[in-house]
Amino acid sequence: MKIAFLGTPGFAVPSLEALLKSRHEIVCIVSQPDKPIGRGGKVQFSPVKEFALKHSIPILQPERISKEVEILDKYRPDILVTCAFGQMLRQNVLDYAPYGVINVHGSLLPKYRGASPIQWAIINGDTETGVTIMRTDMGMDTGDMILWESIPINSDETSGDLFPRMAQLGAKLLVKTLDKIQGSTARFIKQDDALATPAPMLRREHGLIDWSKPAHEIVNLIRGLNPWPSAYFELDGEQIKVHKARVADGRVELLEVQAPNSKRMRGVDFCNGKRIQYKHDNFTFA
């Protein structure tokens, strides 16, 4: 099948790599426009764009693909594949290719519909998650499911740890799905909307630690928000990021923290360096 692939971050790269090794053809890649980062405003290409350039695959970067879908005309794709693309698609895009649009989604639908399903699974203390390949419709991750597979979440795993494993699983399921669609053996299963759980986009304010919550919930928050946007608490007017923690004797042990404009360090070193005599019923530096 001829594929127009829509994706932006590193999570999508394993799917591209798997497609290159498959019998299917990537005719073009669509990624978000380049954006300046940092104080100097230097433009950095997305991982998906880097992949396209490396493999000499045509790369398109419209501001809104729904407003410029005709840029795909010269490539005549049979199907569109999205994977962490970052833009909502209108009906004109969903109807563009003969086989429509399928998406690589990082949860076991209908659970965790939204922009941050992997992180919310960890934040909520789940011990299992998975990837679903779905047919995209106009809803928020509400389309029919085609293939899915579960994966365990390790007790100390962060979002940063889980992302690569999920990306590899998604790549495997994507190729299997395309093979089934091409062979007319794909089954499309409707989701049970009553079981849906929202997974809204994460923002920095989600990271503020509420020390009144149980220790295991706080540690799950820290795991889920690592590497971004990071959990944090305020100390002497500064926001202290917490990158790693664990539960010990019913309290939170802060194992790795970071003060503003400083490097990450062990919690105990931070405490000693600041000469902090800081006691709290729910956490300690370790």
Side-chain angles (χ1 to χ4, degrees), residues 2 15 29 50 94 99 115 160 165 171 184 193-194 208 215 225 227 255 259 267:
K2 293 183 177 180
S15 289
I29 292 175
E50 293 281 6
L94 302 182
Y99 291 93
R165 298 203 296 125
S184 301
D193 293 339
L208 180 60
L225 298 186
L255 302 176

Side-chain angles (χ1 to χ4, degrees), residues 123-198:
I123 292 169
N124 290 337
D126 292 0
T127 58
E128 182 183 70
T129 185
V131 174
T132 304
I133 309 298
M134 55 166 280
R135 178 165 57 187
T136 305
D137 62 14
M138 285 294 292
M140 175 62 76
D141 301 321
T142 56
D144 294 346
M145 303 177 295
I146 309 170
L147 281 182
W148 57 90
E149 187 173 323
S150 64
I151 191 172
I153 302 176
N154 300 322
S155 60
D156 60 348
E157 198 163 25
T158 68
S159 293
D161 298 327
L162 186 55
F163 261 78
R165 298 203 296 125
M166 296 279 280
Q168 292 294 335
L169 176 59
K172 180 186 74 172
L173 292 178
L174 173 60
V175 174
K176 286 185 177 182
T177 300
L178 290 168
D179 289 344
K180 286 181 175 293
I181 292 174
Q182 188 175 44
S184 301
T185 61
R187 296 176 62 234
F188 298 87
I189 312 298
K190 290 192 176 299
Q191 297 185 41
D192 184 349
D193 293 339
L195 300 177
T197 307

Side-chain angles (χ1 to χ4, degrees), residues 180-238:
K180 286 181 175 293
I181 292 174
Q182 188 175 44
S184 301
T185 61
R187 296 176 62 234
F188 298 87
I189 312 298
K190 290 192 176 299
Q191 297 185 41
D192 184 349
D193 293 339
L195 300 177
T197 307
M201 183 178 294
L202 289 169
R203 305 188 185 281
R204 293 190 185 277
E205 52 264 32
H206 283 115
L208 180 60
I209 297 172
D210 179 356
W211 295 112
S212 69
K213 291 188 174 182
H216 71 276
E217 291 187 15
I218 294 171
V219 171
N220 290 341
L221 177 72
I222 293 165
R223 292 167 52 221
L225 298 186
N226 181 343
W228 192 93
S230 294
Y232 68 92
F233 65 97
E234 294 188 353
L235 178 64
D236 297 333
E238 293 184 328

Side-chain angles (χ1 to χ4, degrees), residues 211 233 251-254 278-285:
W211 295 112
F233 65 97
R251 303 175 74 195
V252 179
E253 287 190 346
L254 304 181
Y278 199 77
K279 295 182 179 180
H280 195 283
D281 290 341
N282 208 13
F283 77 87
T284 184
F285 292 96

Side-chain angles (χ1 to χ4, degrees), residues 58-75:
I59 178 73
L60 311 172
Q61 295 181 274
E63 287 291 334
R64 291 290 169 189
I65 185 63
S66 294
K67 294 183 178 180
E68 304 176 58
V69 69
E70 67 278 357
I71 65 174
L72 301 176
D73 288 354
K74 65 181 292 186
Y75 304 104

Side-chain angles (χ1 to χ4, degrees), residues 84 88 103-107 109-120 134 139-142 191 196-202:
M88 294 292 291
N103 174 248
V104 181
H105 182 74
S107 82
L109 290 170
K111 197 171 187 180
Y112 297 124
R113 293 175 175 173
S116 306
I118 298 175
Q119 297 94 324
W120 282 107
M134 55 166 280
M140 175 62 76
D141 301 321
T142 56
Q191 297 185 41
T197 307
M201 183 178 294
L202 289 169

